[in-house]
Amino acid sequence: MKPKTNFKLSFSLVLMMSLIMLSACGNADTSTGSTGNTGGAKQATLDFLWFSDGNEGEVIKGIIKEYEQSNANVKINLIEVGFKDLQTKLKTMISGGKPPALSRITDTGSFANQAVDLTPYVESADQFEGQFIDSLKPYYVINDKLIAAPMDVTANGLIYNKTLFDKAGVKVPTSPEEVWTWDEYIAALKEVMDKGGARYGMVWDVTPHRWSTLLYQNGGSMVTEDGSAAAINSEAGIRSMELFKQLHKDGIMPESVWLGGENPNNLFRSGTVAAHWAGNWMISNYKDITDFEWGVTYMPKGTQRSSVPGGKFLMAFKGSGNEQEAAAFINYLTSKEVNSKYNQESLFMSPRKDSSVLDYEFGKEMYEVFSDELKNTSPLAANDWSRQTLISKISTDLKNNIIDVLSDKATAQEAMDKTAKLINEAIASQ
């Protein structure tokens, strides 16, 4: 009887183990729709569309690796594309019914309808928004929905040739209290040209985004605050355009950039230009300059101080099947510790209010000046540039209209009126 008893016991153990295994298989899910870092969570693979301007691609890969190690059920599939191909790739994926889980993006407005509202996935909308600088809010809060999250922030600012300024004996502002007026700034540039040997006082990138800094400093905007009509042909708009033309007419700015296509970066690198009106990313670009000393100072003010905010955002997409997982990853990437690490190592500026001062390996004081420019930026700048669907329709025409003024094909009034007409037509077509 003993063998029979052993057989029954063995059979019972086998049966019990089989039931346990079947139960485990029944509870497991091999789909890619859930999240969590516990053993019972189902696996999720997140397609992450990404473009790089510099070394940030390598930085994000390191962060992804750390996230995957802490969240064994999540795999991030980084899909790298060139910036110029991003929108086409994203539109193709969405129209094909296979949107990525998330994407790095600049044009939030164009994809707002396809974006996951992050509100249910954060502690509270007010708490989430309160982490970031106020001027960015129009980019990622649309119709009271959190359609994206800021990853890094950009600003326009003033990079100058310290060697030329020192040779001319001209001191630049070293604090916000010393900011030049535009008249004082122009006088300083002329002195550096006369005494410092600068061929030109300033170069200015050929983009409406950079040009519009002058518009906001003069108290103007491209559209009204409610976005219902054009405002660029206001007195502030005309005055800004006339000043821009005068800077070229007086030889302070070379016509070869806006009218001839010469690269302003190369001109500044030549050591013959006193200043470059540029974006903060040029700090990283210029760090290899050894022929002369350079730095960052404060932009001049018109009726007010202003830069133009911009940046890169993270957006999760409806229909990926991984909405919750994408939102969790976005929360991770925008947290103080991770976001600070990303921006510090990428030499970018953090959009977080508590990370405005980072311990950069290069140019720490320079980034602090750009950060101060953002803190003193007109809210009308973000109100304009967050309307990417509208801006994309008129940006090229605005640039061409500015060029027409510089080449004496139109007056400032005519060019701004023409641009206003195009803006109103674009608004009406929305």
Side-chain angles (χ1 to χ4, degrees):
M1 298 296 294
K2 183 123 179 168
K4 189 178 287 188
T5 302
N6 288 341
F7 173 77
K8 288 181 177 179
L9 181 59
S10 299
F11 179 77
S12 298
L13 287 172
V14 171
L15 181 61
M16 185 180 296
M17 291 301 295
S18 297
L19 289 171
I20 290 171
M21 291 176 67
L22 284 170
S23 176
C25 289
N27 288 331
D29 190 339
T30 57
S31 69
T32 59
S34 189
T35 186
N37 54 11
T38 63
K42 52 189 178 183
Q43 298 299 303
T45 298
L46 310 184
D47 286 339
F48 187 4
L49 202 57
W50 182 268
F51 67 90
S52 293
D53 294 318
N55 74 316
E56 71 270 26
E58 295 307 309
V59 176
I60 197 66
K61 288 174 185 176
I63 292 174
I64 288 173
K65 184 177 180 180
E66 292 173 0
Y67 187 79
E68 290 177 336
Q69 289 173 346
S70 300
N71 297 268
N73 64 299
V74 177
K75 176 174 174 54
I76 312 294
N77 177 34
L78 194 68
I79 303 172
E80 297 186 83
V81 298
F83 175 70
K84 64 182 179 62
D85 301 318
L86 178 73
Q87 283 218 6
T88 301
K89 177 70 172 178
L90 191 50
K91 289 177 180 178
T92 300
M93 294 177 77
I94 292 172
S95 63
K98 295 183 179 180
L102 67 162
S103 177
R104 187 187 193 204
I105 196 168
T106 57
D107 185 357
T108 53
S110 292
F111 297 95
N113 292 333
Q114 291 79 39
V116 172
D117 180 7
L118 299 174
T119 306
Y121 303 102
V122 299
E123 184 177 328
S124 75
D126 289 341
Q127 178 273 334
F128 186 80
E129 295 164 20
Q131 301 175 101
F132 308 109
I133 60 173
D134 297 335
S135 60
L136 286 179
K137 185 175 178 179
Y139 287 91
Y140 68 92
V141 179
I142 296 179
N143 297 326
D144 295 323
K145 294 180 179 180
L146 289 172
I147 56 107
M151 187 65 170
D152 63 85
V153 65
T154 62
N156 296 336
L158 188 59
I159 298 174
Y160 75 104
N161 184 319
K162 187 175 185 299
T163 299
L164 291 178
F165 272 79
D166 287 348
K167 184 178 179 181
V170 177
K171 295 187 179 299
V172 302
T174 57
S175 72
E177 291 73 33
E178 299 175 355
V179 169
W180 283 315
T181 64
W182 260 95
D183 286 342
E184 291 170 336
Y185 173 57
I186 291 172
L189 293 181
K190 287 181 177 178
E191 193 168 353
V192 177
M193 292 172 69
D194 292 340
K195 299 179 181 179
R199 183 181 178 189
Y200 297 108
M202 174 173 55
V203 286
W204 198 305
D205 293 348
V206 187
T207 72
H209 188 276
R210 218 77 70 242
W211 175 85
S212 68
T213 314
L214 182 56
L215 176 68
Y216 303 119
Q217 289 175 352
N218 280 320
S221 63
M222 288 193 283
V223 299
T224 55
E225 190 171 355
D226 63 3
S228 62
I232 197 167
N233 57 341
S234 65
E235 189 273 334
I238 306 304
R239 187 170 69 252
S240 300
M241 189 64 256
E242 289 176 341
L243 175 57
F244 198 63
K245 178 178 175 60
Q246 194 65 43
L247 289 167
H248 285 82
K249 184 178 180 181
D250 291 346
I252 294 174
M253 291 176 64
E255 292 186 343
S256 60
V257 174
W258 275 77
L259 297 182
E262 188 168 8
N263 190 321
N265 305 356
N266 292 341
L267 276 172
F268 184 78
R269 281 179 172 276
S270 72
T272 62
V273 178
H276 184 188
W277 203 274
N280 61 280
W281 54 90
M282 293 307 298
I283 295 176
S284 176
N285 185 285
Y286 285 158
K287 70 178 183 179
D288 63 343
I289 292 178
T290 57
D291 295 338
F292 57 89
E293 288 188 78
W294 60 277
V296 173
T297 188
Y298 298 88
M299 290 187 292
K301 62 182 178 182
T303 58
Q304 60 187 12
R305 291 182 62 193
S306 189
S307 181
V308 183
K312 316 299 189 303
F313 301 82
L314 297 169
M315 180 177 285
F317 292 91
K318 300 173 185 175
S320 72
N322 292 309
E323 290 83 351
Q324 182 177 339
E325 294 76 23
F329 187 49
I330 287 175
N331 271 314
Y332 175 79
L333 290 176
T334 56
S335 64
K336 176 176 171 58
E337 181 181 353
V338 178
N339 187 258
S340 297
K341 170 185 171 68
Y342 168 77
N343 283 290
Q344 182 173 303
E345 294 183 7
S346 301
L347 293 181
F348 290 158
M349 296 197 304
S350 173
R352 294 185 59 93
K353 293 176 180 177
D354 55 11
S355 300
S356 59
V357 179
L358 298 175
D359 190 20
Y360 297 103
E361 66 175 6
F362 176 82
K364 180 179 178 180
E365 298 80 9
M366 300 181 195
Y367 284 103
E368 289 176 9
V369 175
F370 272 97
S371 180
D372 186 78
E373 298 286 15
L374 279 179
K375 291 177 183 176
N376 291 277
T377 288
S378 167
L380 293 175
N383 185 57
D384 280 349
W385 286 96
S386 63
R387 302 175 188 275
Q388 287 294 311
T389 303
L390 171 65
I391 292 296
S392 64
K393 294 179 180 178
I394 61 95
S395 185
T396 300
D397 289 307
L398 172 56
K399 182 182 75 172
N400 291 337
N401 291 341
I402 294 170
I403 291 173
D404 281 349
V405 174
L406 299 181
S407 56
D408 293 322
K409 294 179 180 178
T411 65
Q413 182 76 61
E414 289 169 345
M416 295 299 96
D417 283 345
K418 186 177 180 180
T419 304
K421 183 175 182 292
L422 293 169
I423 291 174
N424 285 329
E425 289 173 352
I427 291 173
S429 67
Q430 289 181 334

